[in-house]
Amino acid sequence: MRFPKAFAFAGILIFAVSAALFAQDTGQAPDLNLMPQPSELTPGEGRLAIDDSFRVALTGYREPRLEGAAGRLIQRLRRQTGIPFNDQLETDASKATLVIACDRAGEVVQSLKEDESYTLDVAAQQARLSATTPVGALRGMETFLQLVDLDARGFGAPAVTIHDRPRFPWRGLMLDVSRHFMPVSAVERTLDGMAAVKLNVFHWHLSDDQGFRVESKRFPKLQELGSDGKYYTQAEVKEVIDYARDRGIRVVPEFDMPGHTTALLAAYPELASAPGPYSIERHWGIFNPCLDPTNDAVYTFLDGLIGEMAGLFPDEYFHIGGDEVNGKQWKNNPRIQEFMKAHDLKNTADLQTYFSKNVVPLVEKHGKKVIGWDEVLQPGLPKSAVVQSWRGPRSLAEAARQGYMAILSAGYYLDLMQSAAQHYQVDPLEGATADLTPEQKSHILGGEACMWVEFATPESVDTRIWPRDAAIAERLWSPEDVKDVDSMYRRLVVTSHWLDSVGLTHHTAHAYMLERLTGLRPTASLEMLDSVLEPVKGYAREGARDYSSLAPLNRLVDSTPPESTVARAFAKLVADPRANQDAIRKRLTAWRDNGSDAGLLSMMRGSALLEEDIPLAKDVADLSAAGLQALDYISSGKPAPDSWATEQKALIDRARKPRAELLIMIAPAIQNLVEAAGKSGP
Amino acid sequence: MRFPKAFAFAGILIFAVSAALFAQDTGQAPDLNLMPQPSELTPGEGRLAIDDSFRVALTGYREPRLEGAAGRLIQRLRRQTGIPFNDQLETDASKATLVIACDRAGEVVQSLKEDESYTLDVAAQQARLSATTPVGALRGMETFLQLVDLDARGFGAPAVTIHDRPRFPWRGLMLDVSRHFMPVSAVERTLDGMAAVKLNVFHWHLSDDQGFRVESKRFPKLQELGSDGKYYTQAEVKEVIDYARDRGIRVVPEFDMPGHTTALLAAYPELASAPGPYSIERHWGIFNPCLDPTNDAVYTFLDGLIGEMAGLFPDEYFHIGGDEVNGKQWKNNPRIQEFMKAHDLKNTADLQTYFSKNVVPLVEKHGKKVIGWDEVLQPGLPKSAVVQSWRGPRSLAEAARQGYMAILSAGYYLDLMQSAAQHYQVDPLEGATADLTPEQKSHILGGEACMWVEFATPESVDTRIWPRDAAIAERLWSPEDVKDVDSMYRRLVVTSHWLDSVGLTHHTAHAYMLERLTGLRPTASLEMLDSVLEPVKGYAREGARDYSSLAPLNRLVDSTPPESTVARAFAKLVADPRANQDAIRKRLTAWRDNGSDAGLLSMMRGSALLEEDIPLAKDVADLSAAGLQALDYISSGKPAPDSWATEQKALIDRARKPRAELLIMIAPAIQNLVEAAGKSGP
């Protein structure tokens, strides 16, 4: 088997981190703001001061990638602290604040086997980072940057010894760049964020119905007719691959087939299973256009395309998609139906398997291994393939049982607007996979967060990926028993701000979008409203309007973060309304006054983009007023009358319904308050 | 005379805009958020909707600069509205939303004579922008973008007819890149901001004691020994010049001499007036190192350097500095003293004039005209020179009287942390210049804001330039009688947010720096404190600490904006405490509670960077409490007792003193309240 050492050691490491975490929870050691949590952490004595004398030295093996990373570390630390550090590396290691010692070169093309482990030893006088490979050193540098904080003494890093390595070797983020094109700057920003939380696979979803996004020199019509001019040149692709490699990230390209190919078929309609012409799809959903598995020209074309792209992308793996083929064109084409009968293919799934069996050898011929969405898991799939489980964890277990390698994406779809906790609680080795044998479990390589961009643009995409992806990154890096949700959230809030220093725009874009919504007026009252809302969940937005790729994504739902930190904190307070009465009352009063504020409402009426949100503002005010009344009942010790409770119930039922594709996230907590008021007693 | 037509027409235009402004103030027409205010504006009927059908057409003269600008306009409008407009230019002008019609090419090298005028006619169906030259079109495009707002109907631009042209042909911003190096990205961002408010001269202060910032191929030691590796390559200089030209901005380079040359002398100590060696200066102030005007090698060197740089910078003007020569090296050098006697040079000013007389011909030999700081205004200065008046407006008048061209910078120093109103009230043709004859007045070409960066870094520089520079831009562009300060501030607040869409970072950097100060904790309470503070004024910071170019600029004073909008609004409220009692009380209560909040104080105690600001937080709380008491007296109708007033006076005296290089800007208004309470009566 091909799984790396780090993975094999997971059993031991789990114990180590448990002890460390336990020490933190019960002892006086500070809760360090590390995310992902390292495998093993031992607090030390004292603190390394970070001041203008800070210098970095490289010892041992050196290469430009390490030097570049050390330079970026200095820049990042400058941004974190505002101190104008000396840019030059220190040649005398004894004089350096941070010594980075690397043993040897990493793989020429980073693979699943790359050693990502490191040891970071921070003492009061010096920090020492040791790693076998440059990739391990990169991981340790991020940990070092996360350790740096500000206290009454100034900037510094607490003394600590960390031995760290990943639980899973495949920790990815898939980014769809087809539905809304993401320029290189957005991709590179995303890579910076990924590296910061130790993710190591960038899965680049380059083609779909809505666009074919990479330049083909062999088939230039692909970008000419399939991209609206929005595609990556091959030079840009190489730039991105280099950028990713510099950050220890593999780039796995995906060319989705045989479905999700409308943009490709706009260029080459003769490869479709029904007569063309085709044009780039502007809407969201599952569409009919599909490659014709019975047409030899399709395989000739794919041989050429895969060959060209296999030469462009150095990674060992090549993603051929395979998802969501509805089979309609196949069913409606008598010639294809004839072919299926002649080849004993009983249904369209069989025909897709036939297609896969023809495509996989093409990929292998060009020196790559195949990865595909879980639909490719059909009898006859070569055992070298990796299955990406997206429809549920069962296919993950099934793939492993059948001897395939597999990664989990079900439960990690960032575009579905779930909470960080929901993602965090999904573990590739729990649930459906829990019963696997250890050998079978070793086939689970890790997972990938997925960011589909029907409802995200380069402007807003960071607000959808971050900070929640950091929680998924922790699930995939940290030992299995690192699963305390409260600790995760405590660290996530800090990590989210730390990610600002990485250059991510989730905070600045959110602020800018609110400014736009108000027509450049002050945003404080809109911010207060927005802070208790969340976008609707799952696929609810797709049905809410007739969306297309041309629709502006400039409404409140497009800027509101996927998860309301404020509502989560409020729910915690409401769990004990008596103890937290003052804090609850303060918040409810502010929300009530804000939502009934004439300034807010008149501003919203004056903005065509905010008018739809006025009912939400009013309901937040009414809910807050109800919550305050409930608190009065609770503190009076006398239960609220039934008539009052019934009235509030109607309000809460209304307030829990989505409006303008948004949800009021304090509604459940208010409901709890109202229910508590009904049962109130001393 | 060389002044352009636009300038000559100012007299007529002044009247036109007065009428338009008057109409706006008394009629029902909305106060448009334009800055600078155009020369002539006539409101129309209706509104041009900006929706996803928005398209731009170019008619008449075309060139890549216009096409690039139209493309950027679409991008900017996309950012303003969030609507994914079609990127392609419309070829059929009748179908376009905005038609840009340009008559002819502009100057090959933009000069003072460039025609910047334009006419913008927005009707309900279409907007038409007409200009003689591409630069005029660029100015009109910014006006169009500023007109777009959001109301209950959606995004749109009000129907209006604007005839616009600048009052002065030289409207500049000087940026010091020597004391803190500003990378190309910061320079280009600054150029975008300048273009947005119709400034047209980027004065690039490239050399000073603290750094020589441009690559010389003839004298490479300049950047090797004089820049710490932080300099612009010649390719980068060309990129910046092209970037500026694309935005209708001239680039005037400054090589400061004979003083402010320590960095140059670090490379070529043999050119100094005292024996070396020299090293790059790390502190702020006026230093002794100075070129030796008596040394022929100095002129040979300058001939080479000026020749090389004159070839690199296409602008007609070349800035030779000339400021702040303290003459110490000259006085202490017997050989120089001997030379002065031999040449009948009575003092060091005479020797500097001797130097200038030698340098000016070198500049002219290489095809350029000279501009210098007002110290160069000495008998014998060639009449082609432009004098930049920085020590006061008197030299401006004197230069014009002597027949020189001149620009004003005194009163426009952004680094001195004055209010926008203070800058706004400085007019190149008022005060010392008011008595000039019309012919003499025609020598006043305009002005330049100056941004010296002793206390600014690439991170913070936007917070120092913007939005105040927009007020100076209006002074230099708009008719003389556009001087209503309230109107300016009303528009400045909106313009400041609009500048976010231009890509300036004054808001995001401020927010990030506060986040850093709190150690990534929530910033709301610090924001509230910060919102009533301003940095100390003038040169007060230089004496406050032993600053150097290596000192971190990461304290509260470094992030606090130069002008407190909150304090200004509060002072307005306090002007009528009875009428505004509720609003005043609300603010004072919030500030009192915030400044005495245990959470804020404990957070500040936990941050080495904020500890120094705790007395400010406490004083804001105490001042607010005093203000609330004063309000109580005022509303009671009974005057406050003298003992109370005396006590408050002591508090206010303390609170008005700078601490941590910051001022509490609500202190004067509180003082007014306290005084009003003392006189209180029904």
Side-chain angles (χ1 to χ4, degrees), chain A residues 78-84 87 150-155 230 459 494 497-498 500-501 508 512 515-517 519-521 550-554 605-609, chain B residues 78-84 87 150-155 230 459 494 497-498 500-501 508 512 515-517 519-521 550-554 605-609:
Chain A
R78 179 182 300 169
R79 184 151 167 72
Q80 281 183 237
T81 62
I83 303 171
D87 277 319
L150 172 64
D151 71 11
R153 293 160 288 181
F155 289 100
K230 289 178 180 158
E459 178 179 60
V494 181
H497 290 294
W498 177 71
D500 287 343
S501 71
T508 55
Y512 180 77
E515 191 171 288
R516 174 200 289 149
L517 284 164
L520 308 186
R521 289 171 191 86
L550 304 175
L553 295 180
N554 59 1
R605 274 190 288 268
S607 161
L609 295 177
Chain B
R78 180 181 299 169
R79 183 151 167 74
Q80 280 183 238
T81 63
I83 304 173
D87 276 318
L150 171 65
D151 71 11
R153 294 160 289 182
F155 289 100
K230 289 178 181 160
E459 178 179 60
V494 181
H497 289 294
W498 177 72
D500 287 342
S501 72
T508 54
Y512 180 77
E515 192 171 288
R516 174 200 290 150
L517 284 164
L520 309 185
R521 291 173 190 84
L550 304 176
L553 295 180
N554 59 1
R605 274 190 288 266
S607 161
L609 296 176

Side-chain angles (χ1 to χ4, degrees), chain A residues 29-72:
Chain A
D31 190 15
L32 301 179
N33 293 316
L34 297 174
M35 183 163 257
Q37 196 72 266
S39 323
E40 196 183 325
L41 182 155
T42 313
E45 290 287 325
R47 176 176 166 91
L48 177 70
I50 306 286
D51 56 27
D52 56 12
S53 69
F54 179 84
R55 297 293 293 270
V56 179
L58 292 179
T59 66
Y61 172 75
R62 279 180 91 125
E63 63 173 30
R65 182 158 60 153
L66 273 173
E67 286 156 10
R72 288 199 306 278

Side-chain angles (χ1 to χ4, degrees), chain A residues 380-458:
Chain A
L381 182 72
K383 295 291 174 188
S384 64
V386 172
V387 174
Q388 181 163 16
S389 174
W390 74 279
R391 291 180 298 181
R394 254 178 270 167
S395 61
L396 186 75
E398 189 51 36
R401 227 171 259 125
Q402 294 184 25
Y404 293 98
M405 301 290 224
I407 61 173
L408 182 64
S409 281
Y412 299 144
Y413 269 38
L414 294 165
D415 52 303
L416 301 188
M417 302 288 154
Q418 294 177 299
S419 69
Q422 285 172 293
H423 294 310
Y424 193 64
Q425 282 153 359
V426 174
D427 191 301
L429 294 181
E430 289 181 6
T433 51
D435 296 338
L436 295 179
T437 67
E439 202 281 330
Q440 287 165 342
K441 281 187 180 174
S442 73
H443 286 240
I444 312 290
L445 298 175
E448 273 188 9
C450 288
M451 183 62 217
W452 302 99
V453 297
E454 285 90 345
F455 298 101
T457 64

Side-chain angles (χ1 to χ4, degrees), chain B residues 76 89 131 143 150 162 209 230 240 277 395 410 466 499 544 566 578:
Chain B
R76 295 255 303 275
L89 294 181
T143 303
L150 171 65
I162 290 171
D209 296 306
K230 289 178 181 160
V240 167
S395 60
W466 309 105
L499 288 170
V566 169
R578 277 200 176 77

Side-chain angles (χ1 to χ4, degrees), chain B residues 319-376:
Chain B
H319 204 300
I320 56 167
D323 56 321
E324 298 186 327
V325 177
N326 70 10
K328 284 195 186 161
Q329 286 196 337
W330 295 346
K331 286 180 201 150
N332 294 336
N333 183 326
R335 194 179 42 70
I336 293 178
Q337 288 296 315
E338 199 64 36
F339 182 94
M340 286 169 67
K341 269 180 217 146
H343 290 74
D344 198 25
L345 302 168
K346 296 196 182 64
N347 50 37
T348 56
D350 282 359
L351 183 58
Q352 185 173 348
T353 302
Y354 171 86
F355 174 79
S356 298
K357 279 189 189 163
N358 280 299
V359 171
V360 171
L362 297 178
V363 174
E364 291 180 335
K365 167 184 160 191
H366 294 294
K368 304 291 184 188
K369 292 174 187 153
V370 159
I371 170 169
W373 299 105
D374 58 27
E375 284 95 332
V376 302

Side-chain angles (χ1 to χ4, degrees), chain B residues 494-665:
Chain B
V494 181
T495 301
S496 181
H497 289 294
W498 177 72
L499 288 170
D500 287 342
S501 72
V502 175
L504 296 179
T505 63
H506 51 306
H507 291 125
T508 54
H510 177 229
Y512 180 77
M513 292 174 84
L514 291 186
E515 192 171 288
R516 174 200 290 150
L517 284 164
T518 64
L520 309 185
R521 291 173 190 84
T523 56
S525 57
L526 182 62
E527 276 171 49
M528 185 177 278
L529 170 61
D530 176 69
S531 74
V532 300
L533 304 178
E534 288 181 13
V536 289
K537 308 299 164 188
Y539 297 98
R541 285 196 74 182
E542 298 208 11
R545 281 193 174 199
D546 181 27
Y547 277 108
S548 81
S549 55
L550 304 176
L553 295 180
N554 59 1
R555 291 154 60 222
L556 188 57
V557 60
D558 297 303
S559 46
T560 303
E563 186 167 11
S564 164
T565 303
V566 169
R568 186 169 50 75
F570 183 68
K572 290 228 157 204
L573 290 175
V574 165
D576 189 346
R578 277 200 176 77
N580 300 317
Q581 195 176 151
D582 289 349
I584 296 171
R585 199 176 289 278
K586 192 172 160 192
R587 284 161 182 72
L588 290 173
T589 306
W591 295 331
R592 182 199 58 196
D593 294 350
N594 188 57
S596 49
D597 182 57
L600 173 65
L601 296 177
S602 116
M603 187 266 280
M604 293 178 81
R605 274 190 288 266
S607 161
L609 296 176
L610 287 175
E611 204 169 8
E612 63 176 351
D613 306 307
I614 291 175
L616 293 156
K618 288 185 173 163
D619 278 359
V620 168
D622 289 349
L623 282 172
S624 302
L628 285 166
Q629 289 169 2
L631 264 193
D632 287 343
Y633 283 118
I634 292 168
S635 61
S636 76
K638 289 178 202 152
D642 287 349
S643 61
W644 176 86
T646 309
E647 219 173 281
Q648 308 320 311
K649 178 87 173 43
L651 161 65
I652 291 164
D653 286 349
R654 183 183 76 217
R656 294 189 75 151
K657 291 205 181 83
R659 261 85 43 91
E661 297 156 50
L662 285 162
L663 297 166
I664 299 176
M665 298 308 290

